[in-house]
Amino acid sequence: MLFELKKAISQLNIPADWIGIRAVKETSRSHYVRDGLPQSNGQSLTMGAMLEVMVNGCLGYAATNSLALPSLQNAAEIAYKQALAASAWWIYPVSESTRPKVVGEYKSPFLEPLDAISPGEINDLLIRICQKLKINDKIVQTTATVATSDKETWFVSSNGSEVYQKIIALNTHFGAIAQDGAIVQPRTNNGAHANSYQGGWELLKTDILWHRVQQVGEQALELLTAEECPNIRTNLVLAPDQMMLQIHESIGHPLEIDRILGDERNYAGGSFVTKEDFGKLEYGSPLMNITFDPTVEGEFASYGFDDTGAVATKEYVIKKGILQRGLGSLESQARADLPGVACARASSWNRPAIDRMANLNLEPGNATFEEIISGIEQGVYMESNRSWSIDDQRYKFQFGCEYAKLIENGKLTKTLRNPNYRATTPEFWHSLIQVGNASNWQMYGTPFCGKGEPNQAIWVGHGSPVCVFANVEVFGGG
């Protein structure tokens, strides 16, 4: 494919300063079972190319679902005319330096290929999960889903870029809803679709799968008789599956440079962070170390190059609590005069790449889970996101979890239902007083981060250890 695209780009007849072609082929499959009965089985194939053309300091875009030369030529002409017309009103000029030549490839790691299991075998496995979740008649609904993706991307440019990437990914989810009269409680495997990774079927067929299925069913029942979460200010301990959501909403989105510049205000909102904050804003406590890292093996949003060819590298966006750099592509970096990362990403071949978070992780500290809990006199431990609400500046937020435990005198005691907490972003991260070590660091992901007009739902990954936050407002209520 690279050879064919290189040949095509050399034959495109437009007077552009720079041309890029990003071709994508993706095969997706999904399976959904509810209460032991298959509800849907789907497969889709999508393939096409995005043409990006630079003229007079401005970029134009056009997509085509045909890779034949006449179709690529037509798309290039449309993109050229778009860029030429817009160049009279550009906000900041781009140049070839924002699209440097790059050559290389990236492939997801995997042990068991996606075609190793038939659709019938997948459905049988999901049915068994639902059956095992229903440990009691008070379990009124069980669900199990799996989705896979095999995605290839080819990127070439008129200045010599040649990039090939192949990403194999798996998303799994299962959960149960328990009911006793007016009390209804959900319990899932780490929250909605959090188990998203790069790899093959080995990610589902783990040694602990059936233990975890049993545990989810038991905890759903346990929540029916649990006490309501108290309304207190206390030490809050968050498990990695809830830290995923915390990092995503209160760090990832507010640090996107296009939001800071106001580009996303109409749809996704803005940010409380300003351009002047970089290099000096105390975003959180000195224990806070956040990295943008698409190089983590198996994490959901890993890659070797972003969708404009920028090389992916691990970078600190917050170091010892101080804001270092934003989540902005090469052109956003130039426009804002801020350091950024390789994060120009598109959800498909028919969307232009925009500033997106990828793998955004909280680096581990030095405490085991046992040390964390034993050092707390009073607190609440929470797992698995259930609900979220955050304002469009990413400043005030309120999050709810599925499952909680009271911490009393250094021990996990009573189970609590309907746990919630609220704060402002700076207040919350400044209250970080302990960070778990590598033994409790876990990574999760989601395929449903939305942004852009037209909307782009994209994959993100977040890793974190268990963390402790002091004097947080915790409250009950479903």
Side-chain angles (χ1 to χ4, degrees), residues 11 69 85 110 157 184-186 196 258 286 296 299 323 337 341 365 374-375 385 389 401 478:
Q11 295 176 334
L69 182 60
F110 69 91
S157 68
V184 179
Q185 290 292 306
S196 299
D258 58 353
V296 179
E299 196 163 0
L323 180 60
D337 193 24
V341 293
S374 65
N385 183 256
S389 176
C401 293

Short mmCIF file of all heavy atoms in Angstrom, two decimals, residues 11 69 85 110 157 184-186 196 258 286 296 299 323 337 341 365 374-375 385 389 401 478:
data_model
loop_
_atom_site.label_atom_id
_atom_site.label_comp_id
_atom_site.label_asym_id
_atom_site.label_seq_id
_atom_site.Cartn_x
_atom_site.Cartn_y
_atom_site.Cartn_z
N GLN A 11 1.92 11.69 -8.55
CA GLN A 11 1.17 11.96 -9.78
C GLN A 11 0.04 12.97 -9.58
O GLN A 11 -0.62 13.35 -10.54
CB GLN A 11 0.58 10.65 -10.32
CG GLN A 11 1.64 9.66 -10.76
CD GLN A 11 1.05 8.33 -11.21
OE1 GLN A 11 -0.03 7.95 -10.78
NE2 GLN A 11 1.76 7.62 -12.09
N LEU A 69 -6.44 6.58 -8.44
CA LEU A 69 -5.81 7.87 -8.69
C LEU A 69 -6.81 8.97 -9.04
O LEU A 69 -6.70 10.09 -8.51
CB LEU A 69 -4.75 7.75 -9.78
CG LEU A 69 -3.99 9.05 -10.11
CD1 LEU A 69 -3.26 9.57 -8.87
CD2 LEU A 69 -3.00 8.81 -11.26
N ALA A 85 -8.98 29.13 -0.58
CA ALA A 85 -10.03 30.08 -0.20
C ALA A 85 -9.87 30.54 1.24
O ALA A 85 -10.12 31.70 1.57
CB ALA A 85 -11.39 29.43 -0.41
N PHE A 110 0.36 -8.74 20.52
CA PHE A 110 -0.75 -9.65 20.80
C PHE A 110 -0.23 -11.07 20.87
O PHE A 110 0.82 -11.40 20.29
CB PHE A 110 -1.87 -9.54 19.76
CG PHE A 110 -1.50 -10.06 18.40
CD1 PHE A 110 -1.75 -11.38 18.05
CD2 PHE A 110 -0.90 -9.23 17.46
CE1 PHE A 110 -1.41 -11.87 16.80
CE2 PHE A 110 -0.56 -9.71 16.21
CZ PHE A 110 -0.81 -11.03 15.87
N SER A 157 3.62 11.45 2.38
CA SER A 157 3.57 12.89 2.13
C SER A 157 4.51 13.26 1.00
O SER A 157 5.42 12.50 0.63
CB SER A 157 3.94 13.69 3.38
OG SER A 157 5.32 13.51 3.70
N VAL A 184 -32.10 -0.44 43.68
CA VAL A 184 -31.52 -0.97 42.45
C VAL A 184 -30.04 -0.59 42.42
O VAL A 184 -29.70 0.59 42.58
CB VAL A 184 -32.22 -0.42 41.20
CG1 VAL A 184 -31.58 -0.99 39.93
CG2 VAL A 184 -33.71 -0.74 41.24
N GLN A 185 -29.18 -1.57 42.22
CA GLN A 185 -27.74 -1.32 42.24
C GLN A 185 -27.04 -2.02 41.08
O GLN A 185 -27.19 -3.23 40.88
CB GLN A 185 -27.14 -1.82 43.56
CG GLN A 185 -27.53 -0.98 44.77
CD GLN A 185 -26.91 0.40 44.73
OE1 GLN A 185 -25.70 0.56 44.58
NE2 GLN A 185 -27.76 1.41 44.87
N PRO A 186 -26.26 -1.26 40.29
CA PRO A 186 -25.45 -1.89 39.23
C PRO A 186 -24.04 -2.19 39.75
O PRO A 186 -23.51 -1.51 40.62
CB PRO A 186 -25.39 -0.78 38.18
CG PRO A 186 -25.39 0.49 38.99
CD PRO A 186 -26.22 0.20 40.22
N SER A 196 -10.37 -1.80 27.96
CA SER A 196 -10.03 -1.60 26.55
C SER A 196 -8.52 -1.56 26.42
O SER A 196 -7.86 -0.72 27.05
CB SER A 196 -10.64 -0.29 26.03
OG SER A 196 -12.05 -0.30 26.12
N ASP A 258 -6.18 23.15 21.73
CA ASP A 258 -7.23 23.76 20.91
C ASP A 258 -8.39 24.25 21.78
O ASP A 258 -9.03 25.27 21.46
CB ASP A 258 -7.71 22.83 19.80
CG ASP A 258 -8.24 21.49 20.30
OD1 ASP A 258 -8.12 21.20 21.50
OD2 ASP A 258 -8.77 20.72 19.45
N PRO A 286 2.94 18.18 44.96
CA PRO A 286 4.21 17.70 44.39
C PRO A 286 4.23 16.20 44.08
O PRO A 286 5.13 15.73 43.40
CB PRO A 286 5.23 18.05 45.48
CG PRO A 286 4.62 19.18 46.24
CD PRO A 286 3.14 18.89 46.25
N VAL A 296 3.44 3.06 25.82
CA VAL A 296 3.20 1.98 26.77
C VAL A 296 2.65 0.75 26.04
O VAL A 296 1.62 0.83 25.37
CB VAL A 296 2.21 2.42 27.87
CG1 VAL A 296 1.95 1.25 28.84
CG2 VAL A 296 2.75 3.62 28.63
N GLU A 299 -1.32 -0.50 26.09
CA GLU A 299 -2.32 0.49 26.50
C GLU A 299 -3.15 0.89 25.28
O GLU A 299 -2.68 0.86 24.14
CB GLU A 299 -1.65 1.70 27.16
CG GLU A 299 -2.63 2.56 27.94
CD GLU A 299 -1.95 3.51 28.92
OE1 GLU A 299 -0.71 3.52 29.01
OE2 GLU A 299 -2.68 4.26 29.59
N LEU A 323 2.54 22.43 35.94
CA LEU A 323 2.12 22.25 34.55
C LEU A 323 3.30 22.50 33.61
O LEU A 323 3.91 23.57 33.64
CB LEU A 323 0.97 23.20 34.24
CG LEU A 323 0.39 23.16 32.83
CD1 LEU A 323 -0.17 21.78 32.50
CD2 LEU A 323 -0.69 24.23 32.68
N ASP A 337 2.45 28.88 20.66
CA ASP A 337 3.82 29.04 21.18
C ASP A 337 3.96 28.33 22.52
O ASP A 337 4.46 28.88 23.50
CB ASP A 337 4.18 30.53 21.32
CG ASP A 337 5.68 30.73 21.55
OD1 ASP A 337 6.45 29.84 21.16
OD2 ASP A 337 6.05 31.76 22.14
N VAL A 341 2.63 17.75 22.37
CA VAL A 341 2.93 16.33 22.23
C VAL A 341 2.44 15.85 20.86
O VAL A 341 1.76 16.59 20.15
CB VAL A 341 2.25 15.49 23.34
CG1 VAL A 341 2.84 15.82 24.71
CG2 VAL A 341 0.74 15.72 23.36
N GLY A 365 3.87 6.09 42.70
CA GLY A 365 4.66 6.58 43.83
C GLY A 365 5.33 5.42 44.53
O GLY A 365 5.90 4.54 43.88
N SER A 374 -3.81 1.17 55.76
CA SER A 374 -3.44 1.09 57.18
C SER A 374 -3.08 2.45 57.78
O SER A 374 -3.13 2.63 59.00
CB SER A 374 -2.27 0.12 57.37
OG SER A 374 -1.10 0.60 56.73
N GLY A 375 -2.74 3.41 56.93
CA GLY A 375 -2.36 4.74 57.42
C GLY A 375 -3.52 5.71 57.53
O GLY A 375 -3.31 6.88 57.84
N ASN A 385 -16.30 3.91 38.04
CA ASN A 385 -17.17 5.05 37.78
C ASN A 385 -18.59 4.64 37.41
O ASN A 385 -18.81 3.70 36.65
CB ASN A 385 -16.60 5.92 36.67
CG ASN A 385 -17.43 7.15 36.43
OD1 ASN A 385 -18.17 7.24 35.47
ND2 ASN A 385 -17.33 8.09 37.35
N SER A 389 -20.18 14.42 36.06
CA SER A 389 -20.67 15.73 35.66
C SER A 389 -19.54 16.73 35.89
O SER A 389 -18.96 16.77 36.97
CB SER A 389 -21.90 16.12 36.48
OG SER A 389 -22.32 17.43 36.15
N CYS A 401 -19.51 6.67 42.01
CA CYS A 401 -18.91 5.36 41.82
C CYS A 401 -19.91 4.24 42.12
O CYS A 401 -20.95 4.48 42.74
CB CYS A 401 -17.67 5.19 42.71
SG CYS A 401 -16.31 6.29 42.25
N GLY A 478 -28.18 8.02 44.97
CA GLY A 478 -27.99 7.41 43.65
C GLY A 478 -28.46 8.31 42.54
O GLY A 478 -29.10 9.32 42.72
#
